Coordinates of all heavy atoms in Angstrom, one line a residue:
M27 N 0.8 -1.2 0.0 CA 0.0 0.0 0.0 C 0.9 1.2 0.0 O 1.9 1.3 0.7 CB -0.9 0.0 1.2 CG -1.9 1.1 1.3 SD -3.0 0.7 2.6 CE -3.8 2.3 2.7
A28 N 0.5 2.2 -0.7 CA 1.3 3.4 -0.9 C 1.2 4.3 0.4 O 0.2 4.3 1.1 CB 0.8 4.2 -2.1
R29 N 2.3 4.9 0.7 CA 2.3 5.8 1.9 C 1.5 7.1 1.6 O 1.6 7.6 0.5 CB 3.6 6.2 2.3 CG 4.5 5.0 2.7 CD 5.9 5.4 3.0 NE 6.5 6.2 1.8 CZ 7.6 6.8 1.8 NH1 8.4 6.7 2.8 NH2 8.0 7.3 0.7
S30 N 0.8 7.6 2.6 CA 0.0 8.8 2.4 C 1.0 10.0 2.4 O 2.1 9.9 2.8 CB -1.0 8.9 3.5 OG -0.4 9.3 4.6
I31 N 0.5 11.1 1.9 CA 1.3 12.3 1.9 C 1.7 12.7 3.4 O 2.8 13.1 3.7 CB 0.6 13.5 1.2 CG1 0.5 13.2 -0.2 CG2 1.2 14.8 1.5 CD1 -0.3 14.2 -1.1
D32 N 0.7 12.5 4.3 CA 1.0 12.8 5.7 C 2.1 11.9 6.3 O 3.0 12.4 7.0 CB -0.3 12.7 6.5 CG -1.3 13.8 6.4 OD1 -0.9 14.9 5.8 OD2 -2.5 13.5 6.6
Q33 N 2.2 10.6 5.8 CA 3.2 9.7 6.3 C 4.5 10.2 5.7 O 5.6 10.2 6.4 CB 2.9 8.3 5.9 CG 1.8 7.7 6.7 CD 1.3 6.3 6.1 OE1 1.4 6.1 4.8 NE2 1.0 5.4 7.0
Q34 N 4.5 10.5 4.4 CA 5.7 11.0 3.8 C 6.3 12.2 4.5 O 7.5 12.4 4.7 CB 5.5 11.2 2.3 CG 5.2 10.0 1.5 CD 4.9 10.3 0.1 OE1 5.5 11.1 -0.5 NE2 4.0 9.5 -0.5
I35 N 5.4 13.1 4.8 CA 5.8 14.4 5.5 C 6.4 14.0 6.8 O 7.5 14.6 7.2 CB 4.6 15.4 5.7 CG1 4.2 15.9 4.3 CG2 5.0 16.5 6.6 CD1 3.0 16.7 4.2
A36 N 5.8 13.2 7.6 CA 6.2 12.8 9.0 C 7.6 12.2 8.8 O 8.5 12.4 9.6 CB 5.3 11.9 9.6
E37 N 7.8 11.2 7.9 CA 9.1 10.6 7.7 C 10.2 11.6 7.3 O 11.3 11.5 7.8 CB 9.0 9.5 6.6 CG 8.2 8.3 7.0 CD 7.9 7.4 5.9 OE1 8.4 7.6 4.7 OE2 7.1 6.4 6.1
T38 N 9.8 12.6 6.4 CA 10.8 13.6 6.1 C 11.2 14.5 7.2 O 12.4 14.8 7.5 CB 10.2 14.4 4.9 OG1 10.0 13.5 3.8 CG2 11.2 15.4 4.4
Q39 N 10.2 14.8 8.1 CA 10.5 15.6 9.2 C 11.3 14.9 10.2 O 12.2 15.5 10.9 CB 9.1 16.1 9.9 CG 8.4 17.1 9.1 CD 7.0 17.5 9.6 OE1 6.4 16.7 10.3 NE2 6.6 18.7 9.3
A40 N 11.0 13.7 10.4 CA 11.9 12.8 11.3 C 13.3 12.7 10.8 O 14.3 12.9 11.6 CB 11.3 11.4 11.5
K41 N 13.5 12.6 9.5 CA 14.8 12.5 8.9 C 15.5 13.9 9.1 O 16.7 13.9 9.5 CB 14.8 12.2 7.4 CG 16.2 12.1 6.8 CD 16.0 11.6 5.4 CE 17.5 11.5 4.8 NZ 17.4 11.1 3.4
L42 N 14.8 15.0 8.9 CA 15.4 16.3 9.1 C 15.8 16.5 10.5 O 16.9 17.0 10.8 CB 14.4 17.4 8.7 CG 14.8 18.8 8.9 CD1 16.0 19.1 8.0 CD2 13.7 19.8 8.5
A43 N 15.0 16.0 11.5 CA 15.3 16.2 12.9 C 16.6 15.4 13.2 O 17.5 15.9 14.0 CB 14.2 15.7 13.8
R44 N 16.8 14.2 12.7 CA 18.0 13.4 12.9 C 19.2 14.1 12.3 O 20.2 14.1 12.9 CB 17.8 12.0 12.3 CG 16.9 11.1 13.1 CD 17.0 9.7 12.6 NE 16.6 9.5 11.1 CZ 15.4 9.3 10.6 NH1 14.4 9.3 11.4 NH2 15.3 9.2 9.4
L45 N 19.0 14.7 11.1 CA 20.2 15.4 10.5 C 20.5 16.7 11.3 O 21.8 16.9 11.5 CB 19.8 15.8 9.1 CG 19.7 14.7 8.0 CD1 19.1 15.2 6.7 CD2 21.1 14.1 7.8
K46 N 19.5 17.3 11.9 CA 19.9 18.5 12.7 C 20.6 18.1 13.9 O 21.5 18.8 14.4 CB 18.6 19.3 13.0 CG 18.0 20.1 11.9 CD 16.8 20.8 12.3 CE 16.3 21.7 11.1 NZ 15.1 22.5 11.5
E47 N 20.2 17.0 14.5 CA 20.9 16.4 15.7 C 22.4 16.2 15.4 O 23.3 16.4 16.1 CB 20.2 15.2 16.3 CG 18.9 15.4 17.0 CD 18.3 14.2 17.4 OE1 19.0 13.2 17.7 OE2 17.0 14.1 17.5
R48 N 22.6 15.5 14.3 CA 23.9 15.2 13.8 C 24.8 16.4 13.6 O 25.9 16.5 14.0 CB 23.9 14.3 12.6 CG 23.6 12.9 12.8 CD 23.6 12.0 11.7 NE 24.6 12.2 10.7 CZ 24.6 11.9 9.3 NH1 23.5 11.2 9.0 NH2 25.5 12.1 8.5
Q49 N 24.2 17.5 13.0 CA 24.8 18.7 12.8 C 25.2 19.4 14.1 O 26.3 19.8 14.2 CB 23.9 19.7 11.9 CG 24.6 21.0 11.6 CD 23.7 21.9 10.9 OE1 22.5 21.8 11.1 NE2 24.2 22.7 10.1
K50 N 24.3 19.4 15.0 CA 24.6 20.0 16.4 C 25.7 19.3 17.1 O 26.6 19.9 17.7 CB 23.3 20.0 17.2 CG 23.5 20.8 18.5 CD 22.3 20.9 19.3 CE 22.6 21.6 20.6 NZ 21.5 21.8 21.4
A51 N 25.7 17.9 17.0 CA 26.7 17.1 17.6 C 28.1 17.4 17.0 O 29.1 17.6 17.7 CB 26.4 15.6 17.5
S52 N 28.0 17.5 15.7 CA 29.3 17.9 15.0 C 29.9 19.3 15.3 O 31.1 19.4 15.6 CB 29.1 17.8 13.4 OG 30.2 18.2 12.8
E53 N 29.0 20.2 15.5 CA 29.4 21.6 15.9 C 29.9 21.6 17.3 O 30.9 22.2 17.5 CB 28.2 22.6 15.7 CG 27.8 22.9 14.3 CD 26.5 23.6 14.2 OE1 25.9 24.0 15.2 OE2 26.1 23.9 13.1
T54 N 29.3 20.9 18.2 CA 29.7 20.8 19.6 C 31.1 20.1 19.6 O 32.0 20.6 20.3 CB 28.7 20.0 20.4 OG1 27.4 20.7 20.3 CG2 29.2 19.9 21.8
R55 N 31.3 19.0 18.9 CA 32.6 18.4 18.9 C 33.7 19.3 18.3 O 34.8 19.4 18.9 CB 32.5 17.1 18.1 CG 33.8 16.3 18.0 CD 33.6 14.9 17.6 NE 34.8 14.2 17.2 CZ 35.8 13.9 18.1 NH1 35.6 14.1 19.3 NH2 36.8 13.3 17.7
R56 N 33.4 20.0 17.3 CA 34.4 21.0 16.8 C 34.7 22.0 17.8 O 35.9 22.4 18.0 CB 33.8 21.6 15.5 CG 34.7 22.3 14.6 CD 34.2 22.6 13.2 NE 32.8 23.3 13.3 CZ 31.8 22.8 12.6 NH1 31.9 21.8 11.8 NH2 30.6 23.4 12.7
K57 N 33.7 22.6 18.5 CA 34.1 23.6 19.5 C 34.9 23.0 20.6 O 35.8 23.6 21.1 CB 32.7 24.1 20.1 CG 31.9 25.0 19.2 CD 30.6 25.3 19.8 CE 29.7 26.1 18.8 NZ 28.4 26.4 19.4
I58 N 34.7 21.7 21.0 CA 35.5 21.1 22.0 C 36.9 21.0 21.6 O 37.8 21.3 22.4 CB 34.9 19.7 22.5 CG1 33.5 20.0 23.2 CG2 35.8 18.9 23.3 CD1 32.7 18.7 23.4
I59 N 37.1 20.5 20.4 CA 38.4 20.3 19.9 C 39.2 21.6 19.8 O 40.3 21.8 20.2 CB 38.4 19.6 18.5 CG1 37.9 18.2 18.6 CG2 39.8 19.6 17.8 CD1 37.5 17.6 17.3
V60 N 38.6 22.6 19.2 CA 39.2 24.0 19.1 C 39.5 24.5 20.4 O 40.6 25.0 20.7 CB 38.3 24.9 18.3 CG1 38.9 26.3 18.3 CG2 38.2 24.5 16.8
G61 N 38.6 24.4 21.4 CA 38.8 25.0 22.7 C 39.9 24.3 23.4 O 40.8 24.9 24.1
S62 N 40.1 23.0 23.2 CA 41.1 22.2 23.9 C 42.5 22.7 23.3 O 43.5 22.9 24.1 CB 40.9 20.7 23.6 OG 42.0 20.0 24.1
V63 N 42.6 22.9 22.0 CA 43.8 23.3 21.4 C 44.2 24.7 21.9 O 45.3 24.9 22.2 CB 43.7 23.2 19.8 CG1 44.9 23.9 19.1 CG2 43.6 21.8 19.3
V64 N 43.2 25.5 21.9 CA 43.5 26.9 22.3 C 43.9 27.0 23.7 O 44.9 27.7 24.0 CB 42.3 27.9 22.0 CG1 42.4 29.2 22.7 CG2 42.0 28.0 20.5
I65 N 43.3 26.3 24.6 CA 43.6 26.3 26.0 C 45.0 25.7 26.3 O 45.8 26.3 26.9 CB 42.5 25.6 26.9 CG1 41.2 26.4 26.9 CG2 43.1 25.4 28.3 CD1 40.1 25.6 27.5
S66 N 45.3 24.6 25.7 CA 46.6 23.9 25.9 C 47.7 24.8 25.4 O 48.8 24.9 25.9 CB 46.6 22.5 25.3 OG 46.5 22.5 23.9
N67 N 47.5 25.4 24.2 CA 48.5 26.3 23.6 C 48.7 27.5 24.5 O 49.8 27.9 24.8 CB 48.1 26.7 22.2 CG 49.2 27.3 21.5 OD1 49.4 28.5 21.6 ND2 49.8 26.6 20.6
A68 N 47.7 28.1 25.0 CA 47.7 29.3 25.9 C 48.4 29.0 27.2 O 49.2 29.8 27.7 CB 46.4 29.9 26.1
L69 N 48.2 27.8 27.7 CA 48.9 27.5 29.0 C 50.4 27.2 28.8 O 51.1 27.1 29.8 CB 48.2 26.2 29.6 CG 46.8 26.5 30.1 CD1 46.1 25.2 30.6 CD2 46.8 27.5 31.3
K70 N 50.9 27.2 27.6 CA 52.3 27.0 27.3 C 53.0 28.3 27.0 O 54.2 28.3 27.1 CB 52.5 26.0 26.2 CG 52.0 24.6 26.5 CD 52.1 23.6 25.3 CE 51.6 22.3 25.6 NZ 51.4 21.5 24.4
E71 N 52.2 29.3 26.5 CA 52.8 30.5 26.0 C 52.2 31.7 26.7 O 51.0 32.0 26.6 CB 52.6 30.6 24.5 CG 53.3 29.5 23.8 CD 53.2 29.7 22.3 OE1 53.2 30.8 21.8 OE2 53.0 28.7 21.6
P72 N 53.0 32.4 27.6 CA 52.5 33.5 28.5 C 51.7 34.5 27.7 O 50.7 35.0 28.2 CB 53.8 34.0 29.1 CG 54.7 32.9 29.1 CD 54.4 32.1 27.9
E73 N 52.2 35.0 26.5 CA 51.5 36.0 25.8 C 50.1 35.6 25.4 O 49.1 36.3 25.4 CB 52.3 36.5 24.6 CG 53.5 37.4 25.0 CD 53.1 38.6 25.8 OE1 52.1 39.3 25.5 OE2 53.7 38.9 26.8
K74 N 50.0 34.3 24.9 CA 48.7 33.7 24.5 C 47.8 33.6 25.7 O 46.6 33.8 25.6 CB 48.9 32.5 23.8 CG 49.5 32.7 22.4 CD 49.7 31.5 21.6 CE 50.4 31.8 20.3 NZ 50.6 30.6 19.5
A75 N 48.4 33.2 26.9 CA 47.7 33.1 28.1 C 47.0 34.4 28.5 O 45.9 34.5 28.9 CB 48.5 32.5 29.2
R76 N 47.9 35.5 28.4 CA 47.4 36.8 28.8 C 46.3 37.2 27.9 O 45.2 37.8 28.3 CB 48.5 37.8 28.7 CG 48.2 39.2 29.1 CD 49.4 40.2 29.1 NE 50.3 39.7 30.2 CZ 51.6 39.2 29.9 NH1 52.0 39.1 28.7 NH2 52.3 38.9 30.9
A77 N 46.4 37.0 26.6 CA 45.4 37.3 25.6 C 44.1 36.6 25.8 O 43.0 37.2 25.8 CB 45.9 37.2 24.2
L78 N 44.2 35.3 26.0 CA 43.0 34.5 26.2 C 42.3 34.8 27.5 O 41.0 35.0 27.5 CB 43.3 33.0 26.3 CG 42.2 32.0 26.4 CD1 41.1 32.3 25.3 CD2 42.6 30.6 26.4
A79 N 43.0 35.1 28.6 CA 42.4 35.5 29.8 C 41.7 36.8 29.6 O 40.5 37.0 30.1 CB 43.4 35.7 30.9
A80 N 42.2 37.8 29.0 CA 41.6 39.1 28.7 C 40.3 38.9 27.8 O 39.3 39.5 28.1 CB 42.6 40.0 28.0
L81 N 40.4 38.0 26.8 CA 39.3 37.8 26.0 C 38.1 37.2 26.8 O 37.0 37.6 26.7 CB 39.7 36.8 24.8 CG 38.5 36.4 23.9 CD1 37.9 37.5 23.2 CD2 39.0 35.3 22.9
L82 N 38.4 36.2 27.6 CA 37.4 35.5 28.4 C 36.8 36.5 29.4 O 35.6 36.5 29.6 CB 38.0 34.3 29.1 CG 38.4 33.2 28.3 CD1 39.1 32.1 29.1 CD2 37.2 32.5 27.5
R83 N 37.6 37.4 30.0 CA 37.0 38.4 30.9 C 36.0 39.3 30.2 O 35.0 39.7 30.7 CB 38.1 39.1 31.6 CG 38.8 38.4 32.6 CD 39.8 39.3 33.4 NE 40.4 38.6 34.5 CZ 41.6 38.0 34.4 NH1 42.3 37.9 33.3 NH2 42.0 37.3 35.5
R84 N 36.4 39.7 29.0 CA 35.5 40.6 28.2 C 34.3 39.9 27.6 O 33.2 40.4 27.7 CB 36.3 41.2 27.0 CG 37.1 42.4 27.2 CD 37.6 43.0 25.9 NE 37.9 42.1 24.8 CZ 39.2 41.6 24.7 NH1 40.2 42.0 25.5 NH2 39.4 40.8 23.7
A85 N 34.5 38.7 27.1 CA 33.4 38.0 26.3 C 32.4 37.2 27.2 O 31.3 37.1 26.8 CB 34.0 37.2 25.3
V86 N 32.8 36.7 28.3 CA 32.0 35.9 29.1 C 31.3 36.7 30.1 O 31.9 37.3 31.0 CB 32.8 34.7 29.7 CG1 31.9 33.9 30.6 CG2 33.5 33.9 28.7
T87 N 30.0 36.9 29.8 CA 29.2 37.9 30.7 C 28.2 37.2 31.7 O 27.9 37.8 32.7 CB 28.4 38.8 29.8 OG1 27.6 38.1 28.9 CG2 29.4 39.7 28.9
R88 N 27.8 36.0 31.4 CA 26.9 35.3 32.3 C 27.7 34.9 33.6 O 28.7 34.3 33.5 CB 26.3 34.1 31.7 CG 25.3 34.4 30.6 CD 24.8 33.2 29.9 NE 24.2 32.3 30.9 CZ 24.1 30.9 30.7 NH1 24.4 30.4 29.5 NH2 23.7 30.2 31.6
E89 N 27.1 35.2 34.7 CA 27.8 34.9 36.0 C 28.1 33.4 36.2 O 29.1 33.0 36.7 CB 26.9 35.4 37.2 CG 27.6 35.3 38.5 CD 26.8 35.9 39.6 OE1 26.0 36.7 39.4 OE2 27.0 35.4 40.7
V90 N 27.1 32.6 35.8 CA 27.3 31.1 35.9 C 28.5 30.7 35.0 O 29.3 29.8 35.4 CB 26.0 30.3 35.6 CG1 25.7 30.5 34.1 CG2 26.2 28.8 35.9
D91 N 28.7 31.3 33.9 CA 29.8 30.9 33.0 C 31.1 31.4 33.6 O 32.2 30.8 33.5 CB 29.6 31.4 31.6 CG 28.4 30.8 30.9 OD1 28.1 29.7 31.3 OD2 27.9 31.4 29.9
Q92 N 31.1 32.6 34.1 CA 32.3 33.2 34.7 C 32.8 32.4 35.9 O 34.0 32.1 36.0 CB 32.0 34.7 35.3 CG 31.8 35.6 34.1 CD 31.2 37.0 34.7 OE1 30.7 37.1 35.8 NE2 31.3 38.0 33.8
K93 N 31.8 31.8 36.7 CA 32.2 31.0 37.8 C 32.8 29.7 37.3 O 33.8 29.2 37.9 CB 31.0 30.6 38.7 CG 30.6 31.8 39.5 CD 29.3 31.4 40.3 CE 28.8 32.6 41.2 NZ 27.6 32.2 41.9
E94 N 32.3 29.2 36.2 CA 32.8 27.9 35.6 C 34.3 28.1 35.1 O 35.1 27.2 35.1 CB 31.9 27.5 34.5 CG 32.3 26.2 33.8 CD 32.1 25.0 34.7 OE1 31.2 25.0 35.6 OE2 32.9 24.0 34.6
L95 N 34.6 29.3 34.6 CA 35.9 29.6 34.0 C 36.9 30.2 35.0 O 38.0 30.4 34.6 CB 35.7 30.5 32.8 CG 34.9 30.0 31.6 CD1 34.8 31.0 30.5 CD2 35.5 28.7 31.1
A96 N 36.5 30.4 36.2 CA 37.4 31.1 37.2 C 38.7 30.4 37.3 O 39.8 31.0 37.3 CB 36.7 31.3 38.5
G97 N 38.7 29.1 37.5 CA 39.9 28.3 37.6 C 40.8 28.4 36.4 O 42.0 28.5 36.6
L98 N 40.2 28.3 35.3 CA 41.0 28.4 34.1 C 41.6 29.8 33.9 O 42.8 29.9 33.6 CB 40.1 28.1 32.8 CG 40.8 28.4 31.4 CD1 42.0 27.5 31.3 CD2 39.8 28.2 30.3
I99 N 40.9 30.8 34.2 CA 41.4 32.2 34.1 C 42.5 32.4 35.1 O 43.5 33.0 34.7 CB 40.3 33.2 34.3 CG1 39.3 33.2 33.1 CG2 40.9 34.7 34.4 CD1 38.1 34.0 33.2
E100 N 42.4 31.8 36.2 CA 43.5 31.9 37.2 C 44.7 31.2 36.7 O 45.8 31.7 36.8 CB 43.1 31.2 38.5 CG 44.0 31.3 39.6 CD 43.5 30.8 41.0 OE1 42.3 30.9 41.2 OE2 44.4 30.2 41.7
E101 N 44.6 30.0 36.1 CA 45.7 29.3 35.5 C 46.4 30.1 34.4 O 47.6 30.2 34.3 CB 45.3 28.0 34.9 CG 45.3 26.8 35.8 CD 45.0 25.5 35.0 OE1 45.9 24.9 34.5 OE2 43.8 25.2 34.9
L102 N 45.5 30.7 33.6 CA 46.1 31.6 32.5 C 46.8 32.8 33.0 O 47.9 33.1 32.6 CB 44.9 32.1 31.6 CG 44.2 31.0 30.7 CD1 42.9 31.5 30.1 CD2 45.1 30.4 29.7
D103 N 46.3 33.4 34.1 CA 47.0 34.5 34.8 C 48.4 34.1 35.3 O 49.4 34.8 35.2 CB 46.1 35.1 35.9 CG 44.9 35.9 35.4 OD1 44.9 36.3 34.2 OD2 44.0 36.0 36.2
Q104 N 48.4 32.9 35.9 CA 49.7 32.4 36.5 C 50.7 32.1 35.3 O 51.8 32.5 35.5 CB 49.4 31.1 37.2 CG 48.7 31.3 38.5 CD 48.3 30.0 39.2 OE1 48.5 28.9 38.7 NE2 47.6 30.2 40.4
T105 N 50.2 31.6 34.2 CA 51.1 31.4 33.1 C 51.5 32.7 32.5 O 52.7 32.9 32.2 CB 50.4 30.6 32.0 OG1 49.9 29.3 32.5 CG2 51.2 30.4 30.8
A106 N 50.7 33.7 32.4 CA 51.0 35.0 31.9 C 52.1 35.7 32.8 O 53.0 36.4 32.4 CB 49.8 35.9 31.8
E107 N 51.9 35.5 34.2 CA 52.9 36.1 35.2 C 54.3 35.5 35.0 O 55.2 36.2 35.3 CB 52.4 35.9 36.6 CG 51.2 36.7 36.9 CD 50.7 36.4 38.3 OE1 51.4 35.6 39.1 OE2 49.6 36.8 38.6
K108 N 54.4 34.3 34.5 CA 55.7 33.7 34.3 C 56.5 34.5 33.3 O 57.8 34.6 33.5 CB 55.6 32.3 33.8 CG 55.0 31.3 34.8 CD 54.9 29.9 34.2 CE 54.2 29.0 35.2 NZ 53.9 27.7 34.6
A109 N 55.9 35.1 32.4 CA 56.7 36.0 31.4 C 57.2 37.2 32.1 O 58.3 37.6 31.7 CB 55.7 36.4 30.3
G110 N 56.5 37.7 33.1 CA 57.0 38.9 33.8 C 58.2 38.5 34.7 O 59.1 39.4 34.9
R111 N 58.3 37.3 35.2 CA 59.3 36.9 36.1 C 60.6 36.4 35.3 O 61.7 36.4 35.9 CB 58.8 35.7 36.9 CG 57.8 36.2 38.0 CD 57.5 35.0 38.9 NE 56.1 34.8 38.9 CZ 55.5 33.7 39.0 NH1 56.2 32.5 39.0 NH2 54.2 33.6 39.0
S112 N 60.4 36.1 34.1 CA 61.6 35.6 33.3 C 62.6 36.6 32.9 O 62.3 37.7 32.8 CB 61.1 34.9 32.0 OG 60.2 33.8 32.3

């Protein structure tokens, strides 16, 4: 028996929803990878640490996010201070 137009629409909508989920997962994974590379690089180079800490202070405005990043910003500050002591 042939599928009705409503069934075809429902199947297409379900497929679209699955594709959107895959796209979101891919974007999230990409952000995690880039963030990991940026953080690890900044923790090795004082000038990059200083720049990243400054960027995070400016760009992260939600209090809950600021609390989450407090430890990282402190680490970046410590790395940046090493340049001043050298």
Side-chain angles (χ1 to χ4, degrees):
M27 184 170 170
R29 296 176 307 174
S30 72
I31 292 176
D32 288 339
Q33 289 172 325
Q34 292 176 39
I35 290 171
E37 290 169 5
T38 302
Q39 287 174 333
K41 182 176 180 179
L42 179 61
R44 287 190 302 273
L45 288 171
K46 285 182 177 183
E47 284 178 30
R48 282 182 36 202
Q49 180 183 31
K50 184 175 180 180
S52 176
E53 289 171 1
T54 300
R55 180 162 169 70
R56 194 168 45 234
K57 289 175 186 178
I58 291 168
I59 293 167
V60 170
S62 177
V63 169
V64 169
I65 291 168
S66 64
N67 193 279
L69 290 172
K70 294 175 186 170
E71 298 186 36
E73 285 304 315
K74 291 180 181 177
R76 185 175 293 113
L78 182 56
L81 174 63
L82 292 172
R83 284 187 175 97
R84 273 192 323 270
V86 179
T87 58
R88 290 179 48 205
E89 188 175 337
V90 66
D91 295 337
Q92 290 170 342
K93 287 180 182 178
E94 184 69 33
L95 295 178
L98 173 60
I99 291 172
E100 185 176 326
E101 270 188 90
L102 292 167
D103 287 341
Q104 290 171 358
T105 301
E107 286 176 13
K108 290 178 186 176
R111 288 188 233 141
S112 299

